[in-house]
Amino acid sequence: MSLLGSPEGTRFQVDMDDKTSLYIDNDTRVAPLKETLLEPSNLESLPLSEVEMSISSNSVVTATPDSTFVPLDNYAAMDTGEPPGEDQMLRAPDSSVVGHSNLFLYHDEFKERPAIASAINSITNYSSAIPLAPGDPDAKPVEKANLGTIMGVYLPCLQNIFGVILFIRLTWIVGTCGVIEGFLVVLVCCSVTMITCISMSAIATNGVVPAGGSYFMISRALGPEFGGAVGILFYIGTTFAGAMYIIGAVEIAMVYLIGPDMSLFGPDINDDFVKFNNYRVYGTLLLICMGTIVFLGVKFVNKFAAVALFCVIGSIVSIFVGVFVNIHGNDKAPLCLLGTRLLSKVANCTKDPVASPDVWNMYCDRLSNYTDIPMNETTPDMYKCEEYFEANVMNITQGIQGMSSDAFYRNLRNKYYDAGTAISSSPLETEYNLGGKPAKNQVTVDILASFTLIVGIFFPSVTGIMAGSNRSGDLADPQASIPVGTLCACLTTSITYLSSILFFGATVDPLLLRDKFGQSIGGSLVIGNVAWPHPKVIEIGSLLSTIGAGLQSLTGAPRLLQSIAKDGIIPFLEPVAVVSSRNEPVRALMLTICICQIAVLIGNVDAIAPLLSMFFLMCYMFVNLACALQTLLRTPNWRPRFKYYHWSLSLVGVGLCLAVMFMSSWYFALIAMFIAGVVYKYIEYRGAEKEWGDGIRGLALSAARFSLLRLEDGPPHTKNWRPQILIMCKMDEKLNVKHKRLFTLASQLKAGKGLTIGCTVVQGEFGKMYGESQAARQSLKQVIETEQVKGFPEVVVNESITDGICHMIQTSGLGGMKPNTVILGWPNTWRKKEDDGTQVFVNAIRNAANGKMALLVPKGIQRFPDTGDSVKGNIDIWWIVHDGGLLMLLPFLLKQHRTWRKCRLRIFTVAQVEDNSIQMKKDLKTFLYQLRIDADVEVVEMHDSDVSAYTYERTLIMEQRNEMLHDMRLKQKTRAKMPGRRLSLNENPLYQMKIKGDPGSTLVEDISQSNSIDNLLDPSRHQDLGISMQKSPNKVKFSEELNGDVEDDMPPYPEVNNKAHNHVKPAMESIPPENANVRRMHTAVKLNEVIVAKSHEAKLVILNLPGPPKVMGKDKDCSYMEFLEVLTEGLERVLMVRGGGREVITIYS
């Protein structure tokens, strides 16, 4: 257990069932230690907030006035993708401070930031499963189903895509449009969904997508306004889809299974009044029954889904088998023709008053002088018949002709006719135009069809591609399963529909294809007569699958509405956010049933389908738009695992969706867009103020002002975080930029699309340095333009460089466009110069940390590649401290630039004795997979080891150098008189020191006459003071209790003479190095050994920058610089990184 971030001045009480050790430091931070036991008596005196809470073991508590309880197993839930508050920013349990003896250089970092082992383990253990309902403590925890690609994505998508249109309308579409245009109808609709599948796959694999489907993806990609609008449209579309399935089920039952006996309004079920009123009544009853089932038992719905899926797949297989079994046709569907006109099914298809009296009496009237003769004794000359009946004969033809016939050729062209015209095989108007006469038993066209209308009717049969992404919480590997499963399902259904167009056109007679309700074959499903072994297989299977699809719609729509309401972006929906004790959205279900009833009252599948298409098309359009915008904007969080997408393809999808919407029904399209616009403006009205400018420039200024005010609302979302860079550059005497490669590095990071400010500080009095400041600004502007950096120059005049840098860090930027990242060049000559350069550099690091800004310190910037170069090799990341993910984000951004594109990422992290290195590697791989970052992973084990003599000696020399510099500053005159000699680097430098008895008189003897004292101050030029190439194997034991004393003798060195050796030993013993310095140097040496061994050939090494010393002072700053120098020795290009105190990368979409 750990208690984090406790405020001062109050009491804190903890009710515990185990004894945990606590340690209270000066900042009232509580961390577990073994030395102190937690007792009630100890707690009474703690200056912490007065809060009572029960705490189970293995937990993390954020002790703030509004304290929260977070199980340690779900610690990664703090990384929700939302901007963390001040009490959330990268706090680590202080237990990580204890130990890490090999990483003491990062001692101060571990107080505030978690070590990698604990952070990675917590994040990878996060589960996106739906949490338990509130107030249900006895419920079993939600177990993840761990479904694969087939069961979790492919089959659910098939079930949702294949629908009622396939069974009751596809044959009519082929007969009306013809094979060519019917193929185009299906191709256009399938192209829309295929492109949307590609865009959706990119979005769905861009992080963890909890349940919520398109609403979650679009709202997180385009914002709450678009997300809310599209979510409402998708909800209405899903609800109307339920109504369409209900009406389709009633139509199958009444027209194809039961017949006129089911009618409540008369026996003529072909009459629109009778038909649609029956659909409305029975549809309402079926809706009530299905709503009750959903309310009472969702488990039944899920089990019935398997039955419905079996029916769908079985029916389709039966149809395709039947096409090949009946290759020469069959006699299951005989058609009766009067001339070229199709007639309803009759008992005897012949023109004879005795053999077929029903047909004869429809078209003929008995003459007045033959009325007394019985019907079975009459002859044709006793009747006066209609002209067309007399002029044509009645004949029978096969409805199912098989692929061996010429049906395919006769079905090629379209046959669009006005409503009420007879279905005829002749294109002559005299044949199909009834001329206002009653149709009798002739089958007629019920609606005026067109290509665009049929597109709208067919499109609902290709929807349902979101089924896989909606189940992402139950998938074992969503980022792999969703693209493969969805695209395969879309491809399977597209091939099925396209081949069906060809097979139906080649198998069925054109007249039968145009008979929408199967009147000519006695109300049987046309597609059922093609299937094998019996038509009833298709009729029953289609009925069950349609009911199953309707249940799925009534189950999914309320949950979608409840998730929208729960987000709180639409206030009037807040009441439906409430769930029952069984975690069921009952209120949302009631509202869904009411809306579905409105669609059921329409009563006509052909009228519901185009309206339904509008809502789905709007949703798909925004999915494509989200993918295109994310790709074009190149946000740092846009890292989809699915790579086979392109922004231009997504834009084509947007155009296709718009085109199909207006092709199908322009007024329905406007209604859908109006609903989306109303929801969008309503959400925007709650959180933003629209601002318009006057004229082009005024509009630009107004848009900029509006955007800045919107950005000022709060810190950016973690997904939108990008490096807004502040480059601290140095000028030479001629006010030219010294290190232009700093701007090159910023340019290579421009994949983040962030703003860059190049700044410098001109030392002097502001009133006298205006000209110099303008010259420096112009120089900065030229470099910015040359390096193609998107940004602005800024110059500050100040008498103190440190104050000027502090001013820039505090005040640069405007509103929400303030820099969040500082690039600070490494002072290569910090050892040689006697000015305040070291202190300026370290203070700049402190100021950046105080400003909560990330910090990048490139070392060896002169050797960094130019913009036009191409680097091939490895980028090595040494991840020691979790800094919010900045070490992960930076190499990803660099790889987006052509300079670093060919590089391979390798991530190293350090395991201590108490860490499980195998588990760390597994967790790190999982974390990188969730981040969509491809990299090799290696865990380096650093066991506790003794401090080497080299480390101890290097520390001693560093401290003596600091003491020398301190005395030299105090005694300027003495320093001025010092001869220009240096230490001999061929012998142990300690032999050449002589410490005078006077504590204020440290002098250097035996210094060569040939070189200046700069070589003493910059010993790294001679390979680590001459001893790094030959480190002694002897060890020096170090412990806290000795307070820095040496346990063993110092290692022997080559003796120049015994006198010198005897002279130096008391000097070493009299000035032992500081305990902490030895430990920090030990970390630097050990880490450097490992980094150089693993990454000496890397093109770039990125590692955590240790925090600057808390205690300010020139000696401390010089020691800190020495530690960094030792840490990075032997590396050509190094980028040291320190996070700004917030998460900058997330696993979420």
Side-chain angles (χ1 to χ4, degrees), residues 1005-1023:
E1005 299 180 356
D1006 300 330
I1007 297 180
S1008 172
Q1009 299 285 338
S1010 60
N1011 290 323
S1012 69
I1013 197 169
D1014 286 346
N1015 291 286
L1016 171 63
L1017 305 181
D1018 188 13
S1020 65
R1021 296 169 57 184
H1022 293 270
Q1023 298 294 329

Side-chain angles (χ1 to χ4, degrees), residues 271-328:
D271 180 72
D272 286 348
F273 175 82
V274 175
K275 177 170 57 179
F276 293 144
N277 280 324
N278 277 301
Y279 290 173
R280 293 179 183 112
V281 173
Y282 284 113
T284 301
L285 295 176
L286 183 58
L287 173 61
I288 294 172
C289 293
M290 293 170 67
T292 304
I293 292 173
V294 172
F295 174 75
L296 294 178
V298 178
K299 292 182 179 179
F300 172 78
V301 176
N302 292 332
K303 291 178 180 178
F304 189 78
V307 177
L309 177 62
F310 175 79
C311 293
V312 169
I313 296 177
S315 299
I316 293 173
V317 171
S318 175
I319 292 168
F320 279 86
V321 171
V323 167
F324 291 96
V325 169
N326 300 309
I327 194 169
H328 298 295

Side-chain angles (χ1 to χ4, degrees), residues 259-571:
D261 294 339
M262 186 178 172
S263 176
L264 300 175
F265 298 91
D268 187 8
I269 58 174
N270 294 317
D271 180 72
D272 286 348
F273 175 82
V274 175
K275 177 170 57 179
F276 293 144
N277 280 324
N278 277 301
Y279 290 173
R280 293 179 183 112
V281 173
Y282 284 113
T284 301
L285 295 176
L286 183 58
L287 173 61
I288 294 172
C289 293
M290 293 170 67
T292 304
I293 292 173
V294 172
F295 174 75
L296 294 178
V298 178
K299 292 182 179 179
F300 172 78
V301 176
N302 292 332
K303 291 178 180 178
F304 189 78
V307 177
L309 177 62
F310 175 79
C311 293
V312 169
I313 296 177
S315 299
I316 293 173
V317 171
S318 175
I319 292 168
F320 279 86
V321 171
V323 167
F324 291 96
V325 169
N326 300 309
I327 194 169
H328 298 295
N330 63 40
D331 55 0
K332 293 180 182 178
L335 304 180
C336 182
L337 304 180
L338 176 61
T340 62
R341 297 177 181 176
L342 182 65
L343 301 181
S344 298
K345 186 175 182 178
V346 294
N348 191 0
C349 184
T350 181
K351 279 180 62 175
D352 188 277
V354 178
S356 182
D358 294 336
V359 176
W360 189 268
N361 290 330
M362 284 183 189
Y363 295 94
C364 300
D365 294 323
R366 193 181 302 189
L367 296 175
S368 58
N369 52 342
Y370 298 110
T371 55
D372 297 333
I373 301 176
M375 185 71 185
N376 57 356
E377 297 178 6
T378 58
T379 58
D381 56 354
M382 298 179 183
Y383 293 85
K384 179 175 177 57
C385 299
E386 291 184 4
E387 182 180 355
Y388 186 85
F389 186 78
E390 284 188 353
N392 292 278
V393 297
M394 293 179 66
N395 63 298
I396 299 176
T397 185
Q398 278 187 333
I400 310 301
Q401 299 182 353
M403 290 190 293
S404 61
S405 67
D406 64 343
F408 186 82
Y409 175 76
R410 290 183 287 128
N411 278 317
L412 283 177
R413 300 178 64 87
N414 67 59
K415 302 170 185 67
Y416 300 131
Y417 294 101
D418 292 331
T421 57
I423 295 178
S424 170
S425 59
S426 173
L428 298 175
E429 186 175 357
T430 55
E431 290 293 320
Y432 62 79
N433 192 342
L434 297 178
K437 297 178 181 178
K440 310 292 186 181
N441 70 332
Q442 301 174 58
V443 183
T444 58
V445 177
D446 64 329
I447 58 172
L448 172 60
S450 64
F451 178 83
T452 56
L453 176 65
I454 291 179
V455 168
I457 293 174
F458 177 75
F459 189 81
S461 62
V462 296
T463 60
I465 57 175
M466 301 290 183
S469 62
N470 290 343
R471 290 168 170 80
S472 61
D474 293 327
L475 300 177
D477 189 358
Q479 296 186 9
S481 297
I482 289 177
V484 175
T486 305
L487 287 172
C488 287
C490 190
L491 196 61
T492 302
T493 53
S494 299
I495 293 173
T496 301
Y497 284 135
L498 291 172
S499 58
S500 296
I501 296 291
L502 301 177
F503 286 147
F504 293 165
T507 303
V508 185
D509 185 91
L511 294 175
L512 180 57
L513 285 175
R514 294 168 62 194
D515 184 4
K516 182 186 289 187
F517 302 107
Q519 299 173 50
S520 60
I521 52 177
S524 177
L525 263 177
V526 175
I527 200 173
N529 290 276
V530 177
W532 178 88
H534 196 273
K536 292 299 179 184
V537 172
I538 301 299
E539 293 169 3
I540 296 174
S542 61
L543 177 65
L544 292 178
S545 65
T546 304
I547 292 175
L551 286 172
Q552 290 291 328
S553 297
L554 291 179
T555 304
R559 282 160 173 75
L560 175 61
L561 181 64
Q562 191 263 342
S563 65
I564 297 173
K566 187 172 63 176
D567 275 355
I569 59 175
I570 305 177

Side-chain angles (χ1 to χ4, degrees), residues 726 728 742 805 822-826 840-841 844-845 855-858:
L726 181 66
M728 297 290 184
L742 292 175
I805 293 175
V822 176
I823 293 183
L824 189 62
W826 175 262
V840 169
F841 175 79
I845 296 177
L855 181 65
L856 311 182
V857 180

Side-chain angles (χ1 to χ4, degrees), residues 87 137 179 197 481 497 581 620 654 669 790 845 856 1024 1041 1050 1125:
D87 60 336
V179 173
C197 281
S481 297
Y497 284 135
S581 58
Y620 295 166
V654 173
K790 303 297 183 183
I845 296 177
L856 311 182
D1024 299 341
E1041 292 80 1
M1050 287 296 295
E1125 197 74 66

Side-chain angles (χ1 to χ4, degrees), residues 1 123 129 145 195 717 733 756 878 907-908 913 917 986 1003 1074:
M1 185 199 84
I123 294 173
I195 293 174
H717 194 284
E733 293 80 3
T756 301
W878 285 84
I907 297 179
F908 299 87
V913 177
S917 58
N986 297 321
L1003 300 177
E1074 290 186 19

Side-chain angles (χ1 to χ4, degrees), residues 1-16 22-31 38-53 55 61-67 94:
M1 185 199 84
S2 300
L3 305 181
L4 310 180
S6 306
E8 298 180 359
T10 48
R11 289 179 53 199
F12 187 87
Q13 296 182 358
V14 181
D15 198 10
M16 299 191 57
L22 292 182
Y23 167 75
I24 312 299
D25 65 17
N26 294 332
D27 297 327
T28 69
R29 182 175 298 278
V30 184
L38 174 63
E39 299 292 350
S41 58
N42 294 341
L43 285 171
E44 290 179 358
S45 60
L46 298 183
L48 305 173
S49 59
E50 186 170 347
V51 181
E52 295 183 2
M53 58 179 71
I55 300 177
V61 177
T62 303
T64 59
D66 52 346
S67 301
D94 277 0

Side-chain angles (χ1 to χ4, degrees), residues 599-619:
V600 167
L601 292 177
I602 296 175
N604 186 356
V605 170
D606 297 333
I608 298 174
L611 181 59
L612 172 65
S613 299
M614 297 303 112
F615 297 117
F616 280 115
L617 282 166
M618 284 285 288
C619 179

